[in-house]
Amino acid sequence: MVDKKKIKVGSPQTGCSSCMPNTFEIPLGPQHPALKEPTHFLLEVEGEIIVNATPRIGYVHRGIEKLAETKTYSANLTLVERVCGICSHIHSISLANAAEGALALEGFEVPMRAQYIRTIVAELERIHSHILWLGVAAHEIGFDTLFMLSWRDRELTMDLLEDISGNRVNYAMNEIGGSRRDMNQSQIDRMLKYMDITIERMERYKDICLNENTIRMRTQEVGILLPQKARELCAVGPTARASGVAIDVRYDDPYSAYGEFRDIFNVVTYDSNDVFSLVVVRIIETIEACIYIKWMLKNIPDGPIFKKAPRKVPEAQILSRTEAPRGELIHYLWSNNTNKPYRLKITTPTLSNINTVSEMMKGDYLADSTITLASIDPCFSCEDRMITVVNNDRRKAKVETWSESQLRKYSNDWHTANKRWKK
Amino acid sequence: MVLQKIITWARVKSPWIIHVNTGGCNGCDIEVVDVLTPRYDVERLGILIQGSPRHADVLMVTGPATQQMKDRLKLLHEQTPDPKFVVAIGACACSGGIFRHSYIPCLGIDTVIPVDVYIPGCPPKPEAIIYGVAQLLAKLQGKDSPVITPKKIALKDIKQSIEEDLAK
Ligand code: SF4
């Protein structure tokens, strides 16, 4: 599908502010009714049409990667869960997989039942995250009834998670070497029942979204991202799949228990390349997730859920990829034969997807900017980096990353000033 | 005197809130939004979420106030009309929580603005948030904060009530 509006305003290369005197700048954020999290977008508009959008991130930088170097592996599982509250479990799976990958060099193996429990919780998390997104997207297009209804149905999944883990948001289910809590038969029965209800409700939402004019009119042909562009900008997860790019780590590179049901696994794609296609992909993925959970509950093996791992992780550099609800999540771990990581690097899906937003917004109406932004399901608490804005003049703002010597100087100064900081 | 009474009555009947995230992990934010949706539904207490700080009475702040958000939080607090109340939600907002020892000074929001009610937990359950807000409303009326006496309920009964809910 070719976007006519886009051709009218010209390609982004020619659209600089100096040669287009008619443009007007509108700041969006960091505190804005449409955003639940602090981030900033500078929208350049020509009349009602957005010509350019520049993201500025960094409001949520908390120094997690540095903090991780001061904690032991099992304390780090708690820490990385707090990278993001919505996709918390997948972060801890990622780190556990990385550490266990290093331990596997010494012949360490995680029991299969633990892998199943991890995967079940991860899929439950995907269900709650996708329904949450459906509600937020409905709220952005002014369809609050759907927002309320979908969040009501999300409570079913939250009940299940609370039932298994005791927590609603940060589940603390993982430990290096297995899972912390087991599931009994009554929990499994309850889960099977609730999954049926969730499937039924999601089928209804699918029906609503495919046929309801309110949704179609606000989302069709809005925020177009062509497959070519999606590949170029390294989009991941549902954002890429909604542009017809079939990538999914769960299928391409199975981890935990995903390898067991690869033959029933579907990579959901849809090819209308707009926000509508994102809605459809996410709803179908939710239904699929319910089906996988039901399969896993029926085939879960017996056995231990935990195997005690040695405290010290042998020296290795491990890259662990997982599929978070928003896309591919990468944890890079450098261990050095102690009980603390030497370096932990986290790359989250929103960081890959944020560039696509600028592309999607170009050529759209200003009123559509919020739904376009919400459509990638941004999670800024995941992705914020340390940057320094050198020039505060908006038109010529120059964003610089810190060089190594600058960082070293900052760290030396900081440690002199904060002598009592404990490592 | 009468006027004051009317104002207090109005304020207690419909406190409007604005939700500010100062860099937390999102866990608290989704619980705050959860409180507004059908299962918990605080609109029955007259609480309404607002987009602009100029319309709000209560600032609901989550997150540890990162370096970048500190000044913005101060600005938002200044923009809110008097009298304003601040609720700190989550361990982060109360004290910095798990991020306290990071090199970014995340020490909780009370290092930036005055706080009326603290709701600890990582994240606090929606029930805890409602309880915190109820305490704030009691404070507005000049009453003592309500005391909740814990009651023992058999797990069986809870499950039954949920099943009944579902059957409806
Ligand atoms: S208190 Fe816990 S759940 Fe809430 S924002 Fe902070 S880390 Fe996240």
Side-chain angles (χ1 to χ4, degrees):
Chain A
M1 197 177 301
V2 181
D3 188 12
K4 290 177 209 99
K5 279 179 264 162
K6 234 165 235 172
I7 297 166
K8 203 163 65 189
V9 292
S11 67
Q13 281 81 8
T14 58
C16 75
S17 47
S18 55
C19 49
M20 249 196 252
N22 295 336
T23 59
F24 192 80
E25 280 171 349
I26 296 180
L28 180 74
Q31 177 66 29
H32 189 271
L35 305 169
K36 293 279 169 291
E37 290 168 274
T39 191
H40 176 85
F41 271 85
L42 191 61
L43 307 176
E44 233 171 82
V45 292
E46 201 183 66
E48 276 283 298
I49 294 184
I50 301 171
V51 203
N52 205 351
T54 322
R56 185 195 149 187
I57 57 176
Y59 293 99
V60 200
H61 181 78
R62 289 156 297 178
I64 288 184
E65 286 172 1
K66 188 72 187 163
L67 202 53
E69 292 167 18
T70 69
K71 290 179 190 278
T72 58
Y73 283 97
S74 62
N76 267 331
L77 286 179
T78 318
L79 177 66
V80 292
E81 278 199 330
R82 269 81 180 169
V83 171
C84 168
I86 304 175
C87 33
S88 59
H89 184 69
I90 200 80
H91 274 279
S92 74
I93 288 191
S94 251
L95 180 62
N97 274 351
E100 283 154 9
L103 286 168
L105 299 175
E106 294 181 345
F108 183 79
E109 238 182 71
V110 184
M112 209 52 211
R113 190 176 171 88
Q115 299 281 29
Y116 267 76
I117 293 176
R118 277 182 192 178
T119 318
I120 288 169
V121 176
E123 287 301 307
L124 280 174
E125 187 178 73
R126 190 179 316 278
I127 294 173
H128 105 71
S129 169
H130 280 355
I131 301 181
L132 177 147
W133 177 83
L134 181 66
V136 172
H139 176 70
E140 298 302 358
I141 59 176
F143 192 7
D144 264 6
T145 322
L146 184 59
F147 168 54
M148 292 292 172
L149 283 176
S150 57
W151 276 64
R152 185 198 65 193
D153 295 341
R154 177 174 164 271
E155 290 296 325
L156 290 181
T157 318
M158 299 306 277
D159 278 348
L160 288 180
L161 285 167
E162 199 177 350
D163 196 16
I164 306 171
S165 69
N167 298 324
R168 283 169 57 92
V169 174
N170 297 323
Y171 320 109
M173 282 295 277
N174 288 334
E175 184 54 74
I176 309 280
S179 154
R180 278 194 185 136
R181 299 180 191 89
D182 204 353
M183 289 192 291
N184 58 24
Q185 193 55 42
S186 77
Q187 281 170 333
I188 290 180
D189 290 343
R190 189 164 171 220
M191 236 189 265
L192 284 170
K193 189 172 144 202
Y194 278 21
M195 282 302 113
D196 283 336
I197 300 174
T198 311
I199 291 183
E200 189 194 312
R201 300 253 166 95
M202 291 318 287
E203 291 285 355
R204 173 135 185 272
Y205 294 140
K206 193 170 130 193
D207 228 36
I208 291 176
C209 291
L210 289 177
N211 300 318
E212 166 73 44
N213 271 346
T214 326
I215 294 181
R216 293 184 76 106
M217 282 159 75
R218 278 307 300 272
T219 57
Q220 274 185 336
E221 305 204 8
V222 169
I224 297 218
L225 183 69
L226 297 174
Q228 172 70 18
K229 270 282 172 203
R231 279 211 190 85
E232 266 171 31
L233 295 169
C234 306
V236 291
T239 314
R241 293 199 282 276
S243 296
V245 183
I247 49 166
D248 194 325
V249 182
R250 290 176 290 165
Y251 186 78
D252 303 335
D253 182 11
Y255 55 94
S256 292
Y258 285 109
E260 309 277 313
F261 52 95
R262 203 158 177 252
D263 43 341
I264 63 159
F265 195 94
N266 291 326
V267 180
V268 183
T269 54
Y270 197 76
D271 52 2
S272 71
N273 304 340
D274 49 11
V275 177
F276 181 68
S277 136
L278 274 157
V279 178
V280 177
V281 164
R282 285 216 172 85
I283 290 180
I284 298 179
E285 252 177 40
T286 317
I287 299 174
E288 290 282 318
C290 293
I291 294 171
Y292 306 149
I293 289 178
K294 279 168 72 176
W295 188 93
M296 277 185 279
L297 288 174
K298 280 178 191 139
N299 293 292
I300 187 165
D302 285 333
I305 55 160
F306 179 66
K307 187 173 169 213
K308 194 159 184 339
R311 288 252 166 100
K312 289 185 179 166
V313 176
E315 190 170 343
Q317 294 182 36
I318 306 271
L319 187 86
S320 131
R321 302 162 72 202
T322 44
E323 180 82 8
R326 290 155 182 74
E328 181 180 343
L329 168 70
I330 298 172
H331 274 229
Y332 165 75
L333 174 74
W334 188 347
S335 56
N336 61 349
N337 213 356
T338 59
N339 59 356
K340 291 174 184 166
Y342 176 67
R343 177 84 173 92
L344 178 69
K345 175 100 186 83
I346 305 173
T347 303
T348 56
T350 307
L351 191 66
S352 316
N353 282 340
I354 195 83
N355 290 329
T356 62
V357 177
S358 317
E359 175 64 31
M360 284 156 92
M361 275 186 186
K362 270 174 215 162
D364 273 349
Y365 288 110
L366 184 59
D368 290 332
S369 64
T370 53
I371 177 66
T372 312
L373 177 56
S375 74
I376 66 156
D377 200 356
C379 178
F380 296 102
S381 52
C382 285
E383 52 118 35
D384 268 0
R385 307 285 134 173
M386 179 90 157
I387 48 172
T388 316
V389 176
V390 174
N391 190 343
N392 260 331
D393 178 7
R394 278 230 195 87
R395 292 195 160 265
K396 292 174 226 127
K398 191 170 135 214
V399 178
E400 265 196 8
T401 42
W402 286 31
S403 72
E404 196 188 335
S405 54
Q406 270 175 316
L407 273 175
R408 180 161 294 142
K409 184 168 175 299
Y410 177 79
S411 113
N412 284 343
D413 290 352
W414 192 87
H415 279 282
T416 336
N418 296 272
K419 282 226 174 78
R420 282 169 59 225
W421 192 68
K422 62 171 196 283
K423 175 151 182 170
Chain B
M1 189 61 203
V2 177
L3 193 64
Q4 194 56 41
K5 258 189 185 165
I6 293 175
I7 291 176
T8 315
W9 172 81
R11 209 164 270 150
V12 171
K13 286 294 172 204
S14 76
W16 284 5
I17 60 172
I18 176 171
H19 169 212
V20 188
N21 179 343
T22 60
C25 80
N26 247 343
C28 289
D29 307 273
I30 53 175
E31 296 297 65
V32 169
V33 183
D34 231 22
V35 162
L36 301 166
T37 49
R39 169 76 68 92
Y40 300 100
D41 194 18
V42 284
E43 253 179 63
R44 68 204 148 109
L45 305 179
I47 295 173
L48 203 63
I49 202 155
Q50 280 299 318
S52 161
R54 293 182 205 282
H55 299 165
D57 306 310
V58 183
L59 277 160
M60 281 204 165
V61 189
T62 61
T66 57
Q67 198 155 7
Q68 293 265 340
M69 282 308 286
K70 253 182 204 162
D71 303 341
R72 274 103 190 166
L73 180 61
K74 228 179 252 170
L75 259 177
L76 281 171
H77 188 249
E78 275 161 20
Q79 284 174 1
T80 319
D82 274 333
K84 49 201 161 196
F85 307 95
V86 181
V87 184
I89 297 175
C92 280
C94 294
S95 67
I98 199 164
F99 308 115
R100 194 178 171 91
H101 296 301
S102 161
Y103 63 88
I104 299 276
C106 302
L107 298 173
I109 59 162
D110 53 4
T111 53
V112 187
I113 53 174
V115 178
D116 294 275
V117 178
Y118 295 89
I119 308 177
C122 186
K125 295 189 80 164
E127 290 91 339
I129 297 177
I130 296 175
Y131 177 58
V133 174
Q135 285 213 324
L136 179 73
L137 296 186
K139 190 179 169 184
L140 288 186
Q141 285 167 311
K143 283 189 206 155
D144 285 347
S145 51
V147 178
I148 290 184
T149 38
K151 224 184 347 177
K152 235 184 183 172
I153 304 175
L155 198 62
K156 216 167 59 216
D157 296 345
I158 300 177
K159 273 190 187 151
Q160 206 176 0
S161 73
I162 291 174
E163 240 94 275
E164 274 167 18
D165 267 9
L166 276 181
K168 276 179 214 162

